[in-house]
Amino acid sequence: MKLTLAAISLLSVFRQAEGQYVVASNDSKCPYGSSTRLFRLQDQTLDSCYLKCYDTETCNYFSFGSDSSAYPGVCMGCVEGAILETHAGFTAFELTEKKEFPPLAAELADNDVKCAFGEHRVFKHNDQALTLRQCHEKCYDTPECHYYSWGTMTSGYPGVCIGCDEDSALSGHAGFDTYALTEKQAFPTEAPVHPSTCLENGDTFTTNGCDYEAILDGLNNYLEENECGEHDAQAVLDGFFPDSSIDAVESVCADAWLEIPTSTFNDVDGRFNDEFMESYINGDTFLNNETGTFQGTVEGQNINEFHNDEAKRTVVQSIPSLETCEYNSMMCCFGRDRQPNDNNGNCADPIETNCINARPADNSNLCWTETDMDYFDDPFTFPGKSEGAIHCHGLAWADDENSFESKLRYNNLFYVSLYDHMYQRGYVETAVDSDNIAMCGCVEDMSKVSRADCTQVDVVQSFEVTFLDGEFVATPAGEMEVEFNACQGTDPSNGNREDNDLASYVYRLNQDGRLSDDIMDTVFETLVGYDQPNNNQNEEACENAYTETFSEPYPDNVANLKCPFADQTERLFRTEDYKPLSLEECQALCYDTPFCQYFSLGINERQYKGVCIGCTADAVLEVDNGFNSYEMTETQEFPTAAPTPGLGDLYELVGSDVKCPFGETRLFRDGPNLSRTECYQECVANPDCDYFTFGEGAGIRDEWKGLCMGCTANAVLQAHAGFNTYGLLA
């Protein structure tokens, strides 16, 4: 007998009166986009909505849209603990009596583990969230399924269900609970089966992408729509390729990908050949070294046009040196902002003053860089964030060479380096001035950092796969569409979703069974703060990684120190402003200078970036933000020993507050910012010089500090406060 609307309404009133459910909140509903929502149905009555919740295991609340609302008859259910959200016209009810469901014929195998990716996995259901009971039934109804892993509603994969056979390993993954069936269904046939059992000659199915996962998904969809008993795609592939279905599918897809149009970096701009791109990723082309906007330039227009066209519809070919990346990831770390007016970094107009050594937005901490010099053993460390602001951004790809991420990794590199960071933000050059690091490279070749941002490719490219004359043939269908988006990853520390973080994306690829443990662990050796993706600075991660690598504490006598200005007898040299040296060049200068034991380099200071200062072993380093100081691990033996520079050995004080006079007896005037030793050496180099004057007195004006003058023996010294004059002894 069919109930009338009036009867249904009366029944609902009765159920409520009997206390089967109560009003939880008016103008409220089960939350949108939350893993706590179980279902959403249309054209329901209040009573049918109640029954749906009552018959759904874990349902505690149901919300119903009244006839006068914008969503009449809409019914939603959600679990206990759901946070109801405000929505006019909905009423949320709570069950007071719940249905008793029979216990599941399964036992908990373990928490925070899942079916490992590989040949023992029999299904993965992630199209829509399943309840635990639905996941159990999925395994029960699947041949060879023994374990099922279910993503809890509070995990990063709520309702995801994975099944695997009895021989499967269980891999760690926070947020998944894995159960083992205690009762199994008897199936009439077992995998593998020959394709002819389920496919006829000429049968075709469609996939998005062409790799092993895509072929499995496409074939499974086809078999579900075309009766094939209990056989699934894995059974068909294993029957057709008994030796290795993975290798066979790889070959089929590799041939198919050859039919997709390709492009090169030379197609971006005629100047961007292989040699140019190698220099670019090392931070040493006009793109890296010049200052100013890319808007309105030829190269800027070319990059923008390539981004809007070829980068999204062709397979960009490699940069030769990056073909050897062993660990499925690349990263760029930028140290300079060259472009004003883009709301990124601190470069600003006028660029002649406000873009000098400008820095990018800071998102990482540089721990150390390796050295390859025979006479300097230590790495260059940057404790206390002394490298200044740097910006790191990377990409990663799955082990399957035919996956979208792998095939389009150079598309992604184009986007990350040339388009998103250089063209749009002006970020260029290496993180610090070092001859031994690149701006962009394979992750294993990059310096140790706390973390990096991340971009993934989201792609639509259909392939038609045909069973033809006993073989599978795949061909692309339609034009490829590529979008570049922030990576969707999983926090390695807690299993929660974590976006725009390279380590978290690598971890997700691993947990999805698409990237090996060895590769993930090696990537984490570069991204040393991998388990704290939101901690950009993470000095502790640098300290721990350094200690583990070198078996000694992270240095605390490097950052914000320089060779002293006040003690000029110990400072040996200082290079000029705005003529920067690299770390290796500064070290080499110290190595080639007698008595040099420490060298200081301007790292994080606009005016003094690249300024190199050397001093003796007796020098007391002084605090100066923006300089880092390093001690030589090996010094050179010079063929002729010289006396230690100092008063009484090479020169003597002739007079204080006097200087070489202006006129014909003055031989030179140089500086400021020289050391007394440099001033002495300049006098020695001039055969007519007998006296040198040096600006070093207390209260001297800044522009006279380190000023050097030389004069002849006939000079009549002139009174001038703040200057000392010395006479050569030999």
Side-chain angles (χ1 to χ4, degrees):
M1 179 180 70
K2 187 175 182 180
L3 294 177
T4 65
L5 290 175
I8 292 172
S9 177
L10 186 61
L11 182 60
S12 300
V13 172
F14 172 77
R15 292 189 193 280
Q16 192 168 3
E18 288 295 303
Q20 293 172 346
Y21 58 86
V22 296
V23 174
S25 181
N26 292 310
D27 292 326
S28 299
K29 69 172 185 178
C30 291
Y32 172 75
S34 170
S35 60
T36 59
R37 183 192 283 188
L38 298 172
F39 57 81
R40 184 185 188 276
L41 305 173
Q42 296 179 318
D43 300 324
Q44 301 296 303
T45 65
L46 178 59
D47 195 60
S48 67
C49 188
Y50 155 74
L51 289 174
K52 174 65 177 175
C53 184
Y54 183 75
D55 289 334
T56 301
E57 194 172 16
T58 72
C59 186
N60 188 69
Y61 299 101
F62 65 96
S63 13
F64 184 73
S66 68
D67 290 341
S68 59
S69 73
Y71 298 93
V74 170
C75 168
M76 290 170 273
C78 47
V79 302
E80 186 175 3
I83 300 175
L84 302 175
E85 66 182 22
T86 302
H87 197 138
F90 278 91
T91 302
F93 301 89
E94 183 176 8
L95 298 184
T96 56
E97 295 182 6
K98 295 184 180 180
K99 183 176 181 177
E100 291 188 8
F101 290 85
L104 299 176
E107 59 185 11
L108 180 67
D110 207 348
N111 301 115
D112 294 327
V113 296
K114 69 173 185 181
C115 292
F117 177 77
E119 60 182 355
H120 297 290
R121 181 182 287 186
V122 295
F123 67 80
K124 179 180 180 182
H125 183 97
N126 56 5
D127 295 336
Q128 63 184 41
L130 299 183
T131 65
L132 178 60
R133 183 169 296 274
Q134 289 171 326
C135 186
H136 171 88
E137 292 170 351
K138 173 77 172 172
C139 184
Y140 183 76
D141 291 335
T142 300
E144 297 190 13
C145 187
H146 178 75
Y147 296 105
Y148 59 94
S149 307
W150 182 70
T152 64
M153 289 302 171
T154 57
S155 72
Y157 297 87
V160 171
C161 178
I162 308 170
C164 52
D165 65 25
E166 195 167 2
D167 296 325
S168 176
L170 302 179
S171 60
H173 194 145
F176 275 91
D177 292 337
T178 296
Y179 299 82
L181 294 180
T182 56
E183 294 181 9
K184 295 185 180 181
Q185 185 177 170
F187 293 94
T189 61
E190 297 181 357
V193 296
H194 194 273
S196 60
T197 306
C198 299
L199 298 172
E200 296 182 357
N201 197 51
D203 281 353
T204 299
F205 59 91
T206 302
T207 66
N208 183 42
C210 194
D211 61 8
Y212 196 75
E213 289 272 344
I215 295 294
L216 276 181
D217 290 343
L219 183 53
N220 267 326
N221 292 336
Y222 181 83
L223 296 178
E224 289 175 4
E225 296 170 1
N226 299 271
E227 294 298 328
C228 188
E230 300 297 337
H231 304 307
D232 63 7
Q234 188 70 62
V236 173
L237 291 177
D238 288 344
F240 189 56
F241 307 114
D243 293 334
S244 175
S245 58
I246 292 177
D247 291 345
V249 168
E250 180 180 341
S251 177
V252 170
C253 286
D255 290 341
W257 271 106
L258 293 176
E259 299 183 39
I260 303 291
T262 62
S263 60
T264 68
F265 284 94
N266 215 174
D267 294 322
V268 180
D269 187 297
R271 294 166 288 182
F272 296 0
N273 57 26
D274 285 349
E275 182 180 0
F276 181 92
M277 291 308 300
E278 296 287 1
S279 295
Y280 167 73
I281 62 175
N282 283 318
D284 194 22
T285 68
F286 75 92
L287 299 175
N288 313 87
N289 299 330
E290 292 181 358
T291 299
T293 183
F294 284 104
Q295 314 310 310
T297 65
V298 172
E299 53 271 14
Q301 180 177 345
N302 289 340
I303 291 169
N304 188 46
E305 289 178 354
F306 189 87
H307 166 259
N308 294 331
D309 190 2
E310 289 97 328
K312 296 183 176 182
R313 65 176 184 83
T314 68
V315 179
V316 179
Q317 301 300 288
S318 68
I319 297 172
S321 66
L322 300 181
E323 294 176 357
T324 58
C325 294
E326 296 183 27
Y327 299 103
N328 295 37
S329 45
M330 293 184 281
M331 180 174 71
C332 299
C333 284
F334 307 98
R336 187 170 79 91
D337 178 18
R338 59 158 284 173
Q339 178 170 275
N341 307 319
D342 58 15
N343 296 317
N344 289 284
N346 64 3
C347 175
D349 284 325
I351 62 174
E352 293 78 12
T353 56
N354 292 337
C355 267
I356 297 174
N357 296 322
R359 304 307 292 243
D362 191 21
N363 77 342
S364 191
N365 187 356
L366 177 63
C367 302
W368 73 85
T369 65
E370 302 285 358
T371 60
D372 61 357
M373 294 176 289
D374 295 334
Y375 44 86
F376 189 71
D377 298 333
D378 287 352
F380 292 116
T381 57
F382 302 90
K385 197 66 182 71
S386 54
E387 79 280 3
I390 65 169
H391 192 95
C392 296
H393 199 114
L395 57 122
W397 56 91
D399 286 334
D400 193 325
E401 277 293 319
N402 292 310
S403 67
F404 281 136
E405 305 96 337
S406 180
K407 282 294 181 186
L408 303 176
R409 60 185 181 267
Y410 299 107
N411 298 54
N412 205 350
L413 179 65
F414 160 81
Y415 177 84
V416 167
S417 62
L418 283 169
Y419 180 77
D420 185 33
H421 287 86
M422 193 189 77
Y423 171 73
Q424 294 207 121
R425 313 188 203 190
Y427 294 174
V428 292
E429 294 189 5
T430 55
V432 292
D433 288 335
S434 170
D435 303 328
N436 204 44
I437 63 173
M439 182 182 75
C440 302
C442 305
V443 159
E444 62 265 29
D445 297 327
M446 296 295 287
S447 299
K448 314 301 182 184
V449 295
S450 61
R451 62 168 305 278
D453 290 349
C454 179
T455 293
Q456 70 181 39
V457 289
D458 294 315
V459 189
V460 175
Q461 173 61 70
S462 297
F463 289 81
E464 292 182 350
V465 184
T466 303
F467 182 60
L468 191 63
D469 298 330
E471 297 182 350
F472 285 107
V473 178
T475 55
E479 189 171 77
M480 185 164 62
E481 299 176 12
V482 181
E483 294 296 331
F484 303 95
N485 296 310
C487 290
Q488 296 178 3
T490 302
D491 188 331
S493 67
N494 56 29
N496 294 334
R497 176 168 168 172
E498 186 67 47
D499 293 349
N500 196 32
D501 179 71
L502 181 56
S504 298
Y505 185 61
V506 168
Y507 182 71
R508 179 183 176 181
L509 289 175
N510 171 263
Q511 295 300 295
D512 285 347
R514 305 180 64 213
L515 189 77
S516 74
D517 290 346
D518 288 343
I519 289 178
M520 177 186 71
D521 291 342
T522 303
V523 172
F524 288 172
E525 289 176 8
T526 295
L527 303 171
V528 299
Y530 64 90
D531 59 349
Q532 296 184 47
N534 294 309
N535 187 349
N536 288 352
Q537 309 311 322
N538 205 345
E539 188 74 6
E540 182 181 4
C542 288
E543 294 172 359
N544 293 338
Y546 186 91
T547 300
E548 182 177 350
T549 302
F550 299 104
S551 301
E552 59 183 45
Y554 199 45
D556 59 2
N557 60 345
V558 170
N560 300 316
L561 295 171
K562 74 171 184 180
C563 289
F565 174 79
D567 188 355
Q568 293 295 329
T569 60
E570 307 304 340
R571 179 186 283 192
L572 301 173
F573 60 81
R574 182 192 188 280
T575 62
E576 297 181 46
D577 296 349
Y578 306 115
K579 292 185 178 180
L581 270 60
S582 68
L583 284 160
E584 291 79 7
E585 289 171 332
C586 186
Q587 189 277 339
L589 182 57
C590 185
Y591 184 75
D592 289 334
T593 300
F595 316 112
C596 188
Q597 187 66 35
Y598 297 99
F599 58 98
S600 311
L601 188 71
I603 300 291
N604 180 29
E605 220 294 335
R606 286 192 172 192
Q607 179 180 352
Y608 302 127
K609 186 177 181 182
V611 168
C612 176
I613 308 171
C615 51
T616 70
D618 294 329
V620 178
L621 301 178
E622 65 185 23
V623 175
D624 194 315
N625 292 335
F627 279 85
N628 277 11
S629 291
Y630 304 93
E631 184 175 5
M632 296 293 294
T633 60
E634 182 179 333
T635 56
Q636 185 175 175
E637 291 187 10
F638 291 89
T640 303
T644 302
L647 193 61
D649 294 322
L650 303 177
Y651 51 87
E652 62 182 355
L653 180 66
V654 174
S656 297
D657 294 328
V658 292
K659 69 173 185 178
C660 289
F662 177 78
E664 60 183 15
T665 59
R666 182 188 292 179
L667 300 172
F668 57 83
R669 183 181 188 274
D670 200 6
N673 296 322
L674 297 179
S675 68
R676 191 198 300 166
T677 300
E678 289 172 318
C679 190
Y680 156 76
Q681 291 170 343
E682 190 163 348
C683 185
V684 169
N686 191 313
D688 295 323
C689 185
D690 284 280
Y691 299 106
F692 66 93
T693 298
F694 188 68
E696 58 185 347
I700 192 173
R701 288 160 51 177
D702 286 343
E703 60 266 34
W704 290 340
K705 289 180 179 179
L707 192 65
C708 173
M709 292 171 273
C711 49
T712 67
N714 298 326
V716 178
L717 300 179
Q718 179 181 1
H720 199 300
F723 284 93
N724 290 335
T725 297
Y726 301 87
L728 300 184
L729 293 178

